[in-house]
Amino acid sequence: MKLAWLATSGPEETVAKAGERLEIHRRHLSSLNAPVQFAAPVLLDQRKHIQPILLDRLRVNLAELDAQLAGRPSCTRLQVEGGWYVVVRVPVLGTDEDLAIDLLRKMSVIVHPGHFYDFAGEGHLVLSLITQPVDFREGVSRLLPMVGI
């Protein structure tokens, strides 16, 4: 079941083109079915309980990342502009994909390589901030020694 809204912004021409593509998707792939319509009031009401928990987790994990990055000038994080992902800029040691695979195999840490999010160059890892704080702290502490100087 899926219930969502989408907003676009930016240059008028870009928004118009995106709107055309989104309209095709809306018509053919994402009709709002009866069970979701019926459940929408309950689902929307539950956000009052879930949002504070998620926001607290995001803040805690972001503060933890900042604390661990404080002693590693070779690694920085990009500004979080929304959502629950954070991008960490790391020294280029090869491809981001190879680094992500090495982190998984050697350190049991899961990150996304930057190219998953259209970063053109290497040196970007994407971390999820909704991870349980204890797991996030441990993952960052395993990740940074492999990428930081």
Side-chain angles (χ1 to χ4, degrees):
M1 291 199 233
K2 180 172 41 174
L3 174 65
W5 287 264
L6 182 67
T8 58
S9 64
E12 189 174 325
E13 183 179 323
T14 304
V15 169
K17 288 179 183 177
E20 291 170 10
R21 291 190 304 272
L22 290 168
E23 180 61 23
I24 292 168
H25 175 73
R26 185 192 65 78
R27 283 188 196 163
H28 298 287
L29 301 175
S30 60
S31 61
L32 186 60
N33 61 42
V36 173
Q37 290 180 44
F38 183 74
V42 174
L43 294 171
L44 291 172
D45 190 55
Q46 289 178 350
R47 79 185 185 286
K48 297 172 191 170
H49 307 289
I50 295 169
Q51 281 178 333
I53 294 167
L54 284 175
L55 288 173
D56 184 60
R57 187 179 294 182
L58 299 177
R59 286 186 200 105
V60 166
N61 285 342
L62 197 56
E64 177 64 36
L65 178 61
D66 287 343
Q68 289 196 41
L69 287 174
R72 300 185 181 275
S74 63
C75 299
T76 57
R77 76 165 170 89
L78 302 185
Q79 181 176 340
V80 176
E81 296 179 355
W84 47 57
Y85 293 103
V86 62
V87 179
V88 178
R89 188 86 168 102
V90 299
V92 177
L93 305 170
T95 69
D96 291 349
E97 186 164 350
D98 287 343
L99 179 56
I101 291 169
D102 280 349
L103 284 164
L104 178 60
R105 287 183 177 157
K106 296 176 182 174
M107 306 304 284
S108 299
V109 172
I110 299 173
V111 298
H112 293 165
H115 73 85
F116 280 14
Y117 298 85
D118 292 330
F119 285 97
E122 303 297 337
H124 300 89
L125 296 178
V126 180
L127 287 62
S128 171
L129 290 170
I130 61 168
T131 306
Q132 289 286 346
V134 66
D135 296 329
F136 186 84
R137 180 183 318 111
E138 179 65 24
V140 172
S141 71
R142 291 180 190 184
L143 178 153
L144 291 178
M146 281 192 67
V147 299
I149 298 171

